[in-house]
Amino acid sequence: MPDAALELHTLSGARLTTDSGTELLGPGKPLAFLIYLACSPRQTASREHLIDLLWSDLPAEKARHALRQTLWYLRQLLPEGLRVSGSDVLLVTPLRLDRDEFLREAAADHLERAVTIYQHEFLNAFAVPGGVEFEHWAEIERQQLSAVFLRVVEQLCRRYLDAGRFAEAIALARRARDAAPASERTWRLLLEALVAGQDPIGFALEGSALRTRLQQEGRAPEPLTATLLERMDGNDLPTSAGQSRGLHPGLVGRSAPFALILAEWEEARQQRGRHLHLRAGPGLGKSRLLDDVYHRFRGRGARVVQVRATPGDRTIPYSLAAEIARALAELPGASGISPGSASTLVALNPSLSNRYAAHTDSATGPEAARRRSAALLELLTAVSEEQPVALLVDDLHWTDPASLQCLQPLFERLHAVAALVVTAARPVVGLEGIESGQTLTLPPLTRDQVTELLVSLGPLPDAPWAGELPVLLHQNSGGVPLLLLETLELAKDRGTLLLTAAGWECPDWPGLRVQLERESGLRQRVADLGPEPARALLALAVAGQPLCAAEVARMLAWDEGSTERALTHLERRGLAHQAADQWQPAHDEIAALSLERSEEGARRALHRALGEMLAGTAAAPPRDLVRAGRHLVLAEHWSELREVFLRYVRRRRREGDHRRVRFLAMDFLEGMPQDLADRLLARLGRLNRLRYEVTRPLLVGALAVVATVGFGLSARPRTPEPDTLLLLRDPNAPRRSSIIAVPLSLNGWHQGEPIDLLRL
């Protein structure tokens, strides 16, 4: 009866009120009498039934007298509200009953309205002395309505999670858990929301509380619950780049692409593989969106892998493809691939030799790319046989060309695989093939969305400055979320804008207005760093890949305490973040600003320190040696670079790579600017070499000369260099030369095999 002037409350206390909120009737048997009639079919009940319901503790005559008194009292309160017909009592006054309204809204799928109506359990804390039967009836109603409420909450909570409204989902899941703490289902819903909302502390606290409760009750957790608790045991807690930032807004303006990704996931689960590409400029939130998708999938218990291309690896061939292979190979089912694919994957990522007992595939060039793409597709198919897989690839604009050549055919052949691949990149040249499929473009935030973002962080007061603030923020940031948040952080640091428990406050609006009209928040926050945090940020930017604190300390030649203080300062200011034990700038734009503001000498010194560190371990894998080579080139540290290259060749030999050295050199030099590659080769030629000008027919004679020189050196009383480089030039083809690295010792030739011929 939506148009009734009186409202009967059963889910927000127990009372009868007017439409203006004036209470007409409070707790007691008259209210219980009225509630029971309002909830009964046709709103009628017999006199005898009402007596048994409310006055079963009285003798029959006194019970009938109590019924007459209650009827008289209610008729005074509600004239013409009750009608007695024979032995039946009928409620004829129209009342708005919140119980009925709740059920109507739930049935109509108006879930938010239904949850708003259900503030407490049915007749919460309402007691009727002597009304045992009424209490039994109320308890049955309470259980039925509670079951409907929990169903509604779960549906609405999942809708919030699928729309990226994580804070609301967590709050709603807590309501469900508090309403039914004995149900593991409500605990799992809360833990799932905490995973999706990237709240590791809340996840750990609630998981521990659930485990304690189960132990006290002597119950073993249900299988799904046990899976969630195992994450806590393995420290598999949610982490995110955004977690370190003081300001962590909702997923404003990105709900539609978030929901589309989840819809594509449902399609992929039906053996209809999907590839979706996110296209957005720097700072527009593509990484944040992928992080939220990753944690949403994890919260659902889905099998999801997230990898990220890094600036430091963009010149290393197949670096991103190798990382994808490593991540997929860790999933169950990865062993179910053919020996040929295993051999190709080991060639792609030598660390997989621990998983696959296979020889290294010797294919090179386009054939290698074709085989590696096919092997990755077979691996993805194998790991998705039992359970669908989501593969999220971020910052694809940093990928190396070889990986791109390998991955593009893979993305185009997903139609029969139970997998969803989501890639994200800036709009750059070279990704046209990736963007030819289903592509989503993330636009800047509108002015209204800037206001929504502010409100998601805290309420805005009813003040003139609060109406102007979103306009100026939109103008200052261009609607780019990263710049918007950095501007807010700068205002907070300077005290011109405050965020309290009550919401936003602005103690200095004129100062804030000047700041928003003149300054870039991100640039100024980087400029305001002290010397030590600025140098630590530069070290992370120079690396171009995640580093642990100990590695940063070695780069900077600092003690661990100073390094931790500098990194923590960066994290507290939201300029760097830590995932597991790895540190990196919070965003590529922050790294770019740090590099832009630095001096060339400082950058070169850090490149040298990092190159020497990467190559400093005797067991450094070839990929680290290649990374070391890149940094040593940028540091122009040629003598160390030569030694790193020779170590790289020997290491690949020990791993079973018997390709000629010229192919290994191509791998080592791949992706370097041509002028740097030329300088490297020239340096390799000038360092400790014997130079001979020969024609092609004299090549054998030249090798004989090398042998003679080697044996001749044995008579000289000096310690020779471990290697001698012989440069052979053909006068008829001056652009084609050869380099031979000849192992020599005091006794002439080494017993081991000399390094193979390197043709340039």
Side-chain angles (χ1 to χ4, degrees):
M1 303 175 184
D3 298 329
L6 301 180
E7 183 166 0
L8 194 55
H9 298 266
T10 63
L11 300 174
S12 57
R15 63 196 187 280
L16 176 68
T17 65
T18 65
D19 55 357
S20 62
T22 302
E23 184 174 306
L24 299 179
L25 187 61
K29 288 192 176 181
L31 182 63
F33 186 100
L34 204 58
I35 289 172
Y36 184 79
L37 282 179
C39 294
S40 297
R42 297 183 299 279
Q43 297 186 324
T44 184
S46 69
R47 287 171 174 266
E48 293 302 320
H49 182 66
L50 290 169
I51 289 174
D52 290 339
L53 196 73
L54 295 168
W55 294 283
S56 60
D57 59 330
L58 296 178
E61 187 58 36
K62 288 185 177 182
R64 285 191 289 272
H65 176 72
L67 174 62
R68 289 193 296 271
Q69 289 294 106
T70 300
L71 283 171
W72 177 86
Y73 177 75
L74 289 175
R75 281 172 171 168
Q76 300 301 310
L77 185 67
L78 304 172
E80 304 299 326
L82 296 172
R83 182 183 305 161
V84 179
S85 176
S87 62
D88 293 334
V89 179
L90 174 67
L91 176 65
V92 295
T93 296
L95 300 175
R96 280 202 310 270
L97 180 61
D98 58 359
R99 164 199 179 266
D100 291 348
E101 188 176 359
F102 165 72
L103 292 173
R104 280 196 302 272
E105 298 294 350
D109 203 35
H110 300 155
L111 305 185
E112 290 183 329
R113 175 61 182 157
V115 167
T116 301
I117 295 170
Y118 193 100
Q119 298 181 22
H120 300 290
E121 286 185 324
F122 181 73
L123 296 182
N124 181 52
F126 182 82
V128 180
V132 176
E133 291 300 320
F134 180 86
E135 295 288 356
H136 288 168
W137 168 81
E139 180 60 27
I140 294 173
E141 283 285 315
R142 188 175 298 122
Q143 292 177 2
Q144 292 175 343
L145 291 171
S146 178
V148 174
F149 170 71
L150 293 177
R151 176 180 58 79
V152 167
V153 166
E154 182 171 0
Q155 290 179 349
L156 183 58
C157 185
R158 296 194 184 283
R159 289 185 187 179
Y160 283 161
L161 291 174
D162 291 348
R165 299 166 63 177
F166 302 121
E168 295 164 280
I170 291 172
L172 199 57
R174 287 192 194 280
R175 278 192 64 185
R177 191 276 313 275
D178 294 342
S183 169
E184 289 187 37
R185 188 180 184 90
T186 62
W187 283 91
R188 289 197 299 269
L189 182 65
L190 176 56
L191 292 175
E192 179 181 341
L194 291 169
V195 171
Q198 304 169 46
D199 185 354
I201 297 176
F203 181 88
L205 291 175
E206 296 295 351
S208 296
L210 172 57
R211 176 168 287 165
T212 300
R213 182 183 184 92
L214 293 174
Q215 290 174 346
Q216 290 174 346
E217 296 175 356
R219 289 194 290 144
E222 297 171 3
L224 291 176
T225 307
T227 300
L228 284 172
L229 294 178
E230 286 171 4
R231 291 187 178 182
M232 186 170 60
D233 294 335
N235 293 322
D236 184 20
L237 304 182
T239 57
S240 171
Q243 198 66 27
S244 63
R245 181 183 295 281
L247 297 176
H248 193 60
L251 198 62
V252 176
R254 304 295 181 251
S255 296
F258 187 89
L260 178 59
I261 292 173
L262 296 184
E264 291 295 297
W265 169 246
E266 294 303 320
E267 288 293 320
R269 293 177 63 189
Q270 307 302 319
Q271 292 284 354
R272 294 189 290 268
R274 290 289 194 273
H275 171 224
L276 189 63
H277 182 69
L278 297 176
R279 187 176 187 266
L284 285 176
K286 57 186 178 301
S287 294
R288 162 70 193 278
L289 180 59
L290 278 193
D291 282 343
D292 287 339
V293 169
Y294 172 74
H295 288 95
R296 179 69 188 108
F297 284 166
R298 285 186 62 199
R300 283 182 166 190
R303 190 173 288 175
V304 56
V305 169
Q306 186 177 29
V307 296
R308 189 186 307 268
T310 61
D313 285 346
R314 65 185 182 275
T315 59
I316 300 177
Y318 294 107
S319 57
L320 179 61
E323 179 61 19
I324 291 174
R326 181 204 58 77
L328 292 176
E330 293 177 355
L331 297 179
S335 58
I337 61 174
S338 66
S341 291
S343 176
T344 300
L345 292 177
V346 171
L348 176 62
N349 190 334
S351 68
L352 295 181
S353 60
N354 296 327
R355 174 175 289 272
Y356 301 116
H359 294 295
T360 303
D361 187 351
S362 60
T364 59
E367 178 62 16
R370 186 193 66 79
R371 291 188 187 183
R372 293 175 182 188
S373 180
L376 281 174
L377 179 62
E378 184 177 342
L379 177 60
L380 182 59
T381 303
V383 298
S384 62
E385 285 290 342
E386 296 181 2
Q387 184 177 343
V389 172
L391 172 61
L392 312 179
V393 185
D394 197 8
D395 288 340
L396 199 62
H397 50 274
W398 293 127
T399 191
D400 59 283
S403 287
L404 197 60
Q405 183 183 5
C406 172
L407 294 175
Q408 184 171 334
L410 168 67
F411 298 158
E412 296 171 352
R413 298 162 61 190
L414 294 172
H415 54 275
V417 183
L420 171 66
V421 176
V422 183
T423 54
R426 298 177 186 176
V428 297
V429 176
L431 296 180
E432 293 80 9
I434 298 294
E435 296 175 347
S436 62
Q438 187 172 5
T439 299
L440 287 176
T441 300
L442 301 184
L445 300 180
T446 65
R447 188 178 300 173
D448 289 341
Q449 288 170 339
V450 170
T451 303
E452 184 184 349
L453 184 145
L454 283 169
V455 173
S456 75
L457 295 167
L460 283 169
D462 185 13
W465 67 265
E468 295 182 52
L469 179 61
V471 178
L472 290 178
L473 282 172
H474 186 262
Q475 293 174 353
N476 177 278
S477 65
V480 176
L482 171 69
L483 301 181
L484 173 60
L485 291 173
E486 292 298 339
T487 300
L488 291 174
E489 288 283 6
L490 179 63
K492 287 177 58 189
D493 292 344
R494 294 182 173 180
T496 55
L497 194 62
L498 304 176
L499 181 58
T500 67
W504 290 102
E505 298 177 7
C506 184
D508 183 13
W509 174 241
L512 180 58
R513 176 191 282 275
V514 171
Q515 173 192 328
L516 294 177
E517 290 176 346
R518 296 182 180 178
E519 295 179 344
S520 163
L522 177 57
R523 183 174 294 275
Q524 193 57 47
R525 292 190 71 232
V526 173
D528 288 347
L529 286 173
E532 288 193 353
R535 187 157 174 78
L537 180 59
L538 179 59
L540 296 176
V542 163
Q545 63 187 83
L547 297 175
C548 67
E551 291 171 331
V552 177
R554 289 176 60 188
M555 278 184 69
L556 298 171
W558 289 356
D559 60 80
E560 292 186 6
S562 299
T563 305
E564 287 289 350
R565 284 192 297 272
L567 292 174
T568 302
H569 181 81
L570 292 173
E571 182 180 36
R572 190 164 53 246
R573 292 175 63 87
L575 296 174
H577 69 82
Q578 183 183 21
D581 63 342
Q582 302 286 301
W583 290 87
Q584 63 187 73
H587 197 276
D588 293 342
E589 291 300 295
I590 295 173
L593 278 175
S594 177
L595 292 170
E596 177 187 320
R597 293 180 50 81
S598 64
E599 297 180 356
E600 183 179 353
R603 295 195 302 272
R604 188 176 296 173
L606 288 172
H607 277 299
R608 176 173 178 173
L610 181 55
E612 292 176 344
M613 181 178 69
L614 289 171
T617 305
R623 194 166 297 278
D624 279 355
L625 294 176
V626 173
R627 290 192 179 101
R630 299 306 192 269
H631 290 290
L632 292 172
V633 165
L634 294 173
E636 298 188 1
H637 191 28
W638 306 108
S639 59
E640 179 68 18
L641 178 63
R642 171 184 177 275
E643 298 303 323
V644 169
F645 174 64
L646 295 177
R647 285 181 56 197
Y648 172 80
V649 173
R650 296 190 188 102
R651 184 60 187 263
R652 294 306 295 263
R653 286 287 184 264
R654 286 198 298 269
E655 292 181 350
D657 190 340
H658 297 296
R659 291 179 296 160
R660 300 176 69 178
V661 173
R662 67 186 180 94
F663 294 119
L664 299 180
M666 289 169 61
D667 289 349
F668 191 76
L669 303 175
E670 181 84 23
M672 291 175 56
Q674 188 59 47
D675 61 328
L676 290 179
D678 292 342
R679 292 167 66 187
L680 169 60
L681 295 173
R683 291 282 179 170
L684 285 173
R686 284 196 292 270
L687 284 171
N688 189 28
R689 70 185 179 187
L690 300 175
R691 184 185 298 270
Y692 289 87
E693 299 291 341
V694 299
T695 60
R696 190 176 306 276
L698 293 179
L699 176 58
V700 176
L703 293 176
V705 171
V706 174
T708 303
V709 172
F711 284 110
L713 283 175
S714 63
R716 297 185 182 183
R718 66 179 180 85
T719 302
E721 294 291 333
D723 297 295
T724 298
L725 296 180
L726 172 64
L727 178 63
L728 303 176
R729 290 185 176 175
D730 184 348
N732 297 320
R735 302 190 60 167
R736 298 185 59 183
S737 304
S738 300
I739 289 180
I740 300 175
V742 183
L744 299 175
S745 71
L746 288 175
N747 297 320
W749 294 97
H750 281 302
Q751 295 300 313
E753 178 186 358
I755 298 176
D756 201 356
L757 184 65
L758 166 59
R759 294 188 184 276
L760 304 178

